[in-house]
Amino acid sequence: MHRLTGKTGEDSLIEMSPTDSFSDDVNGYHHHASSSTGSPEQGRSEFALTPDVRVESCESLNNSLASLAPSDHSDSPQFAPQTIEQINALTGFSRKRALFLKFRSRIDKQKYSKDSVFFRDGVRRIDFVLSYIDDKDDQRKQERRRVYESNLQKVGLELETEDKTESEDGKTYFVKIHAPWEVLATYADVLKIKVPFKVNDIPDNSEIPMNWLSTPFRLPGHIMNPEPDYFTAPFNKSKSDFFLIEDKETFFPPSTRNRIVYYILARCPYFKDECGDRDKKGIKRLLNNGTYTAAFPLHDSRYWTKSKDPNCESERFSLYKYWAKFFCFFKEQPLNLVRKYYGEKIGIYFAWLGFYTEMLFFAAVVGTICFVYGFLTYDDNEWSKEICSEEIGGNIVMCPLCDQKCTYWRLNITCNSSWQSHLFDNVATVFFAIFMGIWVTLFLEFWKRRQARLEYEWDLVDFEEEQQQLQLRPEYETKCTNRKLNRITQEMEPYLPITSKCARICLSGATVLLWISLIIACIIGVIAYRLAVYASFASIMKNNTATNLDVVAPYVTPQLATSVTASCINFVIIMILNLLYERVAIKITDMEIPKTHVEYENKLTVKMFLFQFVNYYSSCFYVAFFKGKFVGYPGNYTYMFGSSKLRNEECEPGGCLIELTTQLVIVMTGKQVWGNIQEALVPWLMNWWGSRKARSHPESLYSRWEQDYDLQGFGQLGLFYEYLEMVIQFGFITLFVASFPLAPLLALINNIIEVRVDAWKLTTQFRRPVAAKAHSIGAWEEILGGMAVLSVVTNAFIVAFTSDMIPRLVYMYAYRTHDELNMKGYINNSLSVFNISQFSQEERPEEYPSWFNSSITTCRYRDYRYPPDDKKRYEHNMQFWHILAAKLAFIIIMEHVVFMVKFFVAWMIPDVPSDVRARVKRERYLVQEYLHNYEVEKLKIQLSQNSNSDCTCTPMIYPSLSKHEVLSECL
């Protein structure tokens, strides 16, 4: 057989279920000499598999054919004529040739493990895979691929091509790429990748007290991947014996290898040397123009079982077993293994998410205690008792809450909502708001320390993003036709004229404002719905003795029904707008033509967060700070849109806090549930749909790269959406936490699931991402800091203006009419009086309740105004101004106290732990010392050689790579 194909294995094309796999028949490698490179047409076997061949997954047929196969595994197995006749009898004359050829292909493939991540020789590792569909009518794509792959070989990469006849669809080629040591060493030097040079000699004295308590949460030691602690330094190819290199094949881990290969792929041109178009380079442009269909590194095994090949690490299986399963939710995360397999950028995200979840535990405990306090003090709630009392609340007639459709009502119908409000609106609310302001500071400060430790442990201390910032986006190179000299690289590069840049930024800003206005318009529409529907609910529920409402009337008030339905509608609008402005933000950012990937991600981050902030929080801001604040009073109400008949909403006698709680619970919980379903279900369904044909065929026909090819691609913005989701949740539990102390508990439960869902989909449903370095969570850290400061202000205003805490305290200490320090008489004191004869005809209710009679001459409303028989009737009384002054004083005091504590805590907690600072200094000192000693020893050896011979050549540790072109924009 002239050319061996690499499509191996017995798994389905997509890894849907561990129960669908068959046992491995042959899993070892037979080392055969083969060519490292080859075109798609090179060396096809005598019996090539045609694209339309399909075989039924029939175990009895396979067993029968296997019994007829020759016993040896020679390169060209021959079947006797009588064997072919028996095959014909088994399958029928019309299918005999197709089954024979398919079985022949299977026999050839069983020499190689289907889990292999190596070339056909079983030695060279597959560091990257390119796939394409050969369109013979498109000569340009063929020429691009030929030149591109030729240039990759010139750089030093080794290629091996799998023919399309061996793919499931019969038309996809796979190009396997291997980076030899020469290339890895060269580009490790270019990228300044840190490698170990000396064992760490600083004793680790950081013992955790009562460490045995954490035993149930630990993972096995070999899974936590405790790598030996070394001092590291940037790799220098010319000084390789300075570093601790035991085995060249395993010195660079697979994540580093695929990062280096991708660095080469992103810069390799696809033009000939004689062509002058230097902008035609990079795998991204080739993917965008359809020359290649995919480019990805391989997973090292199937996720549900270890690889039978002993050379495969099976780290994916370990991650799935100990990290991605939900029943591991109480276990620590194997962050070192995550970093080793996926790279530092993904490792930092899961480290941050895990730390955030751990810190949420403390906030959830305190929030639950505050909720329990409200529940235990249920019977001490004097104002709710007065509202529910027949003698007090049953005799207080309230003014209509809307014109004509609404009628008079008794205060005791809000009894249940008043009790519910007490669960969240109590003295513990103030304490919890102050606690969360301090908790946010502790979270951010301790994360900085944790991040600094990870930076040191993962060799990111001196990591600079200058190289990433120098990498121009392919879209920028394509759309910018002007050229100018880059002062850093001293090369001509494309640039965007300042006039065009300003015009694009202005257009982008106008578009952002337009879409924010659209979001605000939708919120105003929901407010109008609340006003219009409230009248309908009020007219339906105005007689709570109606037979069909006897059960729900005591529990469902018009305010509650309006609030719940409006919150649900608002959530649906949020989800719809979310889909729209995600695309809008990407298009606006593309229109600005950012120069680098870092600039692109930062611009997109600002727009997406701004859209999400307005979309998710605007309704909560309305309920917290606007509803019930600009209502007016009977006879002089304030109307929405001026002369419209929609009167501004009023708060219940129990306050607007319960409505803010309802809004927060519905939006926050709905978003989290929908987000988890979407994250887990959508990739699974897409993979299932893409593999529906493969499930009817034998699993032994699909190789490692084919299974990964049909997984979902983890895009460049994959982590962006994960961060965005968590930052929006962070806003819910900080900006409005004073209204709902259980928000951190809901967030904690969600994040425990989120960690495992993200791990599961990354391990099972996505291709292996290209490893990337990142020393922090980037711009999100600044956003979290800004939200932490804003949360102090919003919670202070919620306690002061949305909660009834301040009016109650003012009444208890200044306006109570009895000697005891309690809240008796508060309800009567907090309601003003209006003479119903002064209602205009447009404001009078159309119908009256059955209990209403002519003896009722006044109604009550929620405000602090003089009665109708006073000279200053309906003007704000002195108590109103006292309460307003107390609210402003509380805001100032709370903000200053919390900010002072925040700054003091931030000052007391250093961003970098002292032991990490010492290790960094020690490492820098040793790098200089050892390099100096190394150079001195080299000089001595060279001088001794010069004295013994005439040779003056500098000793070379590696052969020269003069025949290879080093692709770097930094050189």
Side-chain angles (χ1 to χ4, degrees):
M1 184 172 178
H2 301 292
R3 182 181 184 276
L4 297 177
T5 57
K7 184 178 178 183
T8 62
E10 299 178 352
D11 291 325
S12 63
L13 184 61
I14 189 68
E15 298 164 309
M16 296 301 299
S17 172
T19 59
D20 293 337
S21 63
F22 297 94
S23 60
D24 297 334
D25 296 331
V26 180
N27 289 289
Y29 264 95
H30 297 269
H31 295 220
H32 297 281
S34 63
S35 173
S36 299
T37 61
S39 63
E41 305 297 329
Q42 176 186 349
R44 292 189 182 179
S45 62
E46 180 182 357
F47 297 97
L49 180 63
T50 56
D52 59 342
V53 173
R54 295 291 182 269
V55 181
E56 299 294 335
S57 179
C58 179
E59 185 176 359
S60 60
L61 178 59
N62 289 338
N63 294 335
S64 301
L65 290 174
S67 65
L68 299 177
S71 59
D72 63 304
H73 285 177
S74 61
D75 282 349
S76 300
Q78 301 294 327
F79 289 83
Q82 61 270 23
T83 302
I84 299 179
E85 292 178 2
Q86 295 179 44
I87 292 177
N88 293 344
L90 283 170
T91 62
F93 180 78
S94 61
R95 300 179 62 197
K96 63 180 181 179
R97 181 173 176 81
L99 287 174
F100 175 81
L101 297 180
K102 196 75 171 182
F103 181 66
R104 165 69 179 276
S105 177
R106 181 175 179 179
I107 291 293
D108 292 339
K109 282 192 271 262
Q110 285 182 345
K111 298 177 183 179
Y112 312 104
S113 169
K114 66 168 172 281
D115 284 332
S116 174
V117 291
F118 294 88
F119 273 20
R120 293 189 292 266
D121 57 12
V123 176
R124 292 171 293 173
R125 174 181 289 273
I126 301 173
D127 296 313
F128 228 87
V129 174
L130 306 179
S131 64
Y132 65 91
I133 297 175
D134 191 15
D135 187 359
K136 296 187 179 297
D137 297 331
D138 195 337
Q139 297 297 327
R140 296 181 61 186
K141 291 182 180 180
Q142 293 183 2
E143 180 63 16
R144 288 180 196 145
R145 285 192 292 266
R146 186 190 67 78
V147 175
Y148 186 69
E149 294 175 13
S150 175
N151 289 336
L152 290 178
Q153 293 173 353
K154 290 180 182 178
V155 174
L157 297 179
E158 298 176 3
L159 310 181
E160 189 174 70
T161 304
E162 292 295 322
D163 193 81
K164 67 178 181 180
T165 57
E166 300 301 334
S167 62
E168 190 274 335
D169 57 6
K171 55 184 179 180
T172 303
Y173 292 92
F174 293 95
V175 181
K176 299 174 288 184
I177 301 175
H178 168 75
W181 171 255
E182 279 290 302
V183 175
L184 294 175
T186 301
Y187 284 93
D189 195 346
V190 170
L191 297 175
K192 304 301 179 185
I193 294 176
K194 287 189 173 183
V195 295
F197 70 90
K198 183 185 184 300
V199 178
N200 194 335
D201 59 357
I202 300 180
D204 187 6
N205 299 323
S206 58
E207 295 184 2
I208 303 176
M210 304 182 70
N211 197 25
W212 56 271
L213 292 175
S214 62
T215 301
F217 308 104
R218 294 180 187 168
L219 291 174
H222 69 283
I223 298 301
M224 289 305 294
N225 197 32
E227 298 180 351
D229 196 2
Y230 293 107
F231 290 122
T232 59
F235 185 78
N236 190 326
K237 181 181 174 183
S238 63
K239 302 171 183 176
S240 65
D241 52 349
F242 173 74
F243 303 99
L244 301 177
I245 302 177
E246 296 180 359
D247 185 359
K248 294 180 181 178
E249 297 301 323
T250 59
F251 182 66
F252 294 109
S255 59
T256 302
R257 297 175 68 101
N258 72 57
R259 178 188 166 210
I260 291 175
V261 172
Y262 185 75
Y263 182 88
I264 298 173
L265 294 176
R267 287 156 184 78
C268 185
Y270 53 91
F271 58 83
K272 297 181 180 179
D273 293 337
E274 60 271 14
C275 298
D277 193 354
R278 295 282 172 179
D279 294 333
K280 293 184 177 180
K281 61 181 179 180
I283 187 62
K284 288 187 177 180
R285 294 194 65 179
L286 292 173
L287 291 172
N288 290 339
N289 59 34
T291 304
Y292 289 99
T293 56
F296 54 93
L298 288 178
H299 285 293
D300 60 2
S301 68
R302 294 170 291 175
Y303 67 84
W304 65 82
T305 184
K306 287 186 176 180
S307 174
K308 300 301 188 295
D309 187 348
N311 295 321
C312 296
E313 297 85 353
S314 297
E315 292 175 347
R316 185 190 188 194
F317 166 74
S318 298
L319 287 171
Y320 174 73
K321 181 178 180 180
Y322 295 100
W323 181 52
K325 288 187 175 180
F326 176 73
F327 293 106
C328 300
F329 71 90
F330 61 94
K331 296 286 187 179
E332 59 184 335
Q333 295 188 82
L335 294 177
N336 286 329
L337 185 58
V338 174
R339 172 245 180 171
K340 181 182 177 184
Y341 192 76
Y342 290 114
E344 288 80 2
K345 190 171 185 178
I346 291 178
I348 283 286
Y349 164 73
F350 281 102
W352 175 80
L353 181 57
F355 182 81
Y356 172 44
T357 304
E358 292 173 9
M359 291 294 292
L360 272 177
F361 173 78
F362 302 101
V365 169
V366 177
T368 304
I369 292 174
C370 292
F371 176 79
V372 171
Y373 171 82
F375 183 79
L376 294 178
T377 57
Y378 213 58
D379 295 334
D380 300 332
N381 185 3
E382 291 290 342
W383 54 90
S384 292
K385 290 180 180 179
E386 292 183 354
I387 291 176
C388 297
S389 171
E390 287 292 335
E391 292 77 16
I392 301 176
N395 290 325
I396 295 178
V397 178
M398 302 296 294
C399 298
L401 295 176
C402 63
D403 295 340
Q404 295 183 342
K405 297 295 183 182
C406 300
T407 187
Y408 301 101
W409 53 285
R410 288 185 174 134
L411 182 60
N412 61 352
I413 69 172
T414 62
C415 175
N416 288 318
S417 63
S418 175
W419 285 110
Q420 294 165 4
S421 178
H422 175 71
L423 294 175
F424 308 106
D425 189 6
N426 50 65
V427 177
T429 300
V430 181
F431 166 77
F432 190 59
I434 297 174
F435 169 81
M436 286 303 295
I438 301 173
W439 175 88
V440 168
T441 304
L442 292 174
F443 165 65
L444 295 177
E445 292 301 319
F446 282 128
W447 166 245
K448 290 177 183 178
R449 292 172 61 85
R450 173 65 171 151
Q451 187 172 260
R453 191 174 295 279
L454 287 176
E455 285 182 22
Y456 171 75
E457 294 176 355
W458 292 357
D459 297 324
L460 301 170
V461 174
D462 298 322
F463 173 72
E464 299 291 342
E465 296 182 350
E466 293 179 1
Q467 295 178 357
Q468 296 183 13
Q469 293 173 356
L470 289 173
Q471 299 172 16
L472 301 180
R473 297 175 62 244
E475 296 82 359
Y476 182 84
E477 298 176 349
T478 303
K479 296 179 181 179
C480 298
T481 57
N482 299 305
R483 296 289 185 271
K484 73 174 182 179
L485 182 67
N486 188 317
R487 296 182 179 179
I488 299 176
T489 62
Q490 291 297 309
E491 294 182 358
M492 298 299 293
E493 68 175 16
Y495 83 101
L496 190 65
I498 188 65
T499 53
S500 177
K501 188 174 183 179
C502 291
R504 292 175 183 273
I505 291 176
C506 292
L507 182 59
S508 173
T511 308
V512 169
L513 292 177
L514 175 64
W515 278 87
I516 290 178
S517 301
L518 176 63
I519 297 173
I520 295 176
C522 292
I523 299 302
I524 294 175
V526 174
I527 296 172
Y529 163 85
R530 298 168 69 105
L531 300 178
V533 171
Y534 177 81
S536 301
F537 280 120
S539 62
I540 294 173
M541 300 179 181
K542 61 187 175 183
N543 188 358
N544 59 12
T545 60
T547 305
N548 58 342
L549 293 177
D550 276 343
V551 178
V552 299
Y555 306 98
V556 182
T557 62
Q559 292 93 332
L560 180 61
T562 303
S563 179
V564 172
T565 56
S567 298
C568 293
I569 293 174
N570 185 64
F571 174 72
V572 174
I573 293 175
I574 287 174
M575 291 296 103
I576 295 174
L577 289 177
N578 194 26
L579 296 175
L580 291 176
Y581 64 65
E582 278 186 8
R583 300 181 180 181
V584 171
I586 292 175
K587 287 188 176 297
I588 295 174
T589 308
D590 290 338
M591 180 186 66
E592 293 182 20
I593 317 180
K595 184 176 182 180
T596 64
H597 294 288
V598 174
E599 184 181 351
Y600 180 88
E601 190 165 337
N602 289 339
K603 288 179 177 290
L604 184 61
T605 297
V606 172
K607 294 179 181 62
M608 286 291 291
F609 176 74
L610 189 60
F611 281 144
Q612 294 255 6
F613 186 92
V614 177
N615 195 22
Y616 281 106
Y617 302 147
S618 55
S619 58
C620 293
F621 273 104
Y622 163 74
V623 175
F625 305 124
F626 295 97
K627 182 179 179 182
K629 306 301 185 295
F630 310 99
V631 177
Y633 59 91
N636 189 25
Y637 285 117
T638 304
Y639 291 84
M640 189 177 183
F641 307 121
S643 61
S644 68
K645 295 185 179 181
L646 298 177
R647 203 170 85 194
N648 287 349
E649 284 186 284
E650 296 184 41
C651 292
E652 292 185 4
C656 278
L657 194 72
I658 188 64
E659 293 192 45
L660 177 59
T661 303
T662 304
Q663 179 77 21
L664 188 64
V665 169
I666 292 177
V667 176
M668 179 181 173
T669 307
K671 180 185 183 302
Q672 293 183 161
V673 172
W674 174 253
N676 281 324
I677 293 175
Q678 189 178 29
E679 287 184 14
L681 192 61
V682 171
W684 184 85
L685 287 176
M686 294 180 68
N687 289 338
W688 173 84
W689 181 257
S691 65
R692 64 193 187 283
K693 294 182 179 179
R695 290 193 300 274
S696 62
H697 304 313
E699 295 183 347
S700 61
L701 301 177
Y702 307 118
S703 59
R704 173 81 268 135
W705 46 88
E706 283 185 293
Q707 294 182 27
D708 285 5
Y709 174 71
D710 273 2
L711 295 175
Q712 297 298 305
F714 193 80
Q716 182 184 358
L717 298 177
L719 282 182
F720 171 83
Y721 293 106
E722 301 296 341
Y723 276 118
L724 183 62
E725 179 185 6
M726 288 296 101
V727 169
I728 293 299
Q729 181 204 83
F730 182 82
F732 279 123
I733 68 166
T734 55
L735 296 177
F736 309 102
V737 73
S739 67
F740 187 47
L742 293 180
L745 179 63
L746 295 181
L748 175 64
I749 296 172
N750 172 80
N751 286 10
I752 290 174
I753 300 173
E754 180 77 19
V755 171
R756 305 303 161 177
V757 168
D758 288 348
W760 174 82
K761 69 179 183 180
L762 194 63
T763 306
T764 66
Q765 303 300 310
F766 285 94
R767 298 171 188 160
R768 185 174 184 173
V770 179
K773 280 188 174 292
H775 68 285
S776 67
I777 62 176
W780 299 110
E781 191 168 342
E782 300 297 328
I783 292 176
L784 291 175
M787 295 183 72
V789 174
L790 181 62
S791 67
V792 177
V793 179
T794 56
N795 283 302
F797 272 85
I798 287 174
V799 173
F801 288 98
T802 308
S803 166
D804 274 355
M805 184 61 56
I806 304 300
R808 291 169 189 164
L809 293 176
V810 171
Y811 170 79
M812 186 170 62
Y813 288 103
Y815 287 90
R816 69 180 187 276
T817 57
H818 46 81
D819 295 334
E820 296 181 8
L821 197 65
N822 56 36
M823 296 298 297
K824 290 182 179 179
Y826 169 73
I827 291 299
N828 186 64
N829 176 266
S830 64
L831 298 176
S832 298
V833 182
F834 181 76
N835 190 339
I836 62 177
S837 63
Q838 297 176 357
F839 272 125
S840 64
Q841 189 62 35
E842 292 77 12
E843 295 174 337
R844 293 180 183 275
E846 295 177 349
E847 298 180 4
Y848 295 92
S850 58
W851 47 263
F852 190 86
N853 53 58
S854 58
S855 63
I856 300 176
T857 58
T858 60
C859 63
R860 310 294 293 273
Y861 61 98
R862 182 184 173 86
D863 207 341
Y864 294 93
R865 295 179 182 271
Y866 289 108
D869 56 354
D870 193 272
K871 295 179 180 179
K872 300 179 180 179
R873 63 177 184 178
Y874 306 138
E875 294 182 9
H876 287 299
N877 57 24
M878 190 57 64
Q879 186 175 355
F880 170 83
W881 299 110
H882 287 169
I883 292 175
L884 181 60
K887 289 180 177 180
L888 296 178
F890 172 81
I891 292 174
I892 294 173
I893 294 174
M894 177 180 171
E895 288 181 355
H896 280 71
V897 169
V898 174
F899 280 132
M900 287 178 63
V901 174
K902 282 170 63 70
F903 292 140
F904 179 74
V905 170
W907 176 74
M908 286 290 294
I909 302 176
D911 293 345
V912 181
S914 57
D915 61 321
V916 173
R917 190 182 296 110
R919 288 170 181 264
V920 171
K921 292 180 180 179
R922 172 70 174 165
E923 183 172 302
R924 289 173 177 170
Y925 167 76
L926 287 179
V927 169
Q928 295 178 357
E929 182 183 19
Y930 274 74
L931 279 175
H932 175 266
N933 295 337
Y934 173 83
E935 294 292 347
V936 171
E937 291 298 325
K938 281 297 181 181
L939 182 59
K940 290 180 180 179
I941 294 174
Q942 184 175 356
L943 290 175
S944 63
Q945 290 177 349
N946 290 340
S947 62
N948 297 329
S949 65
D950 295 331
C951 179
T952 59
C953 301
T954 302
M956 294 297 294
I957 298 158
Y958 296 109
S960 174
L961 266 179
S962 58
K963 65 178 181 179
H964 295 150
E965 177 188 357
V966 178
L967 301 175
S968 173
E969 297 180 6
C970 304
L971 300 181

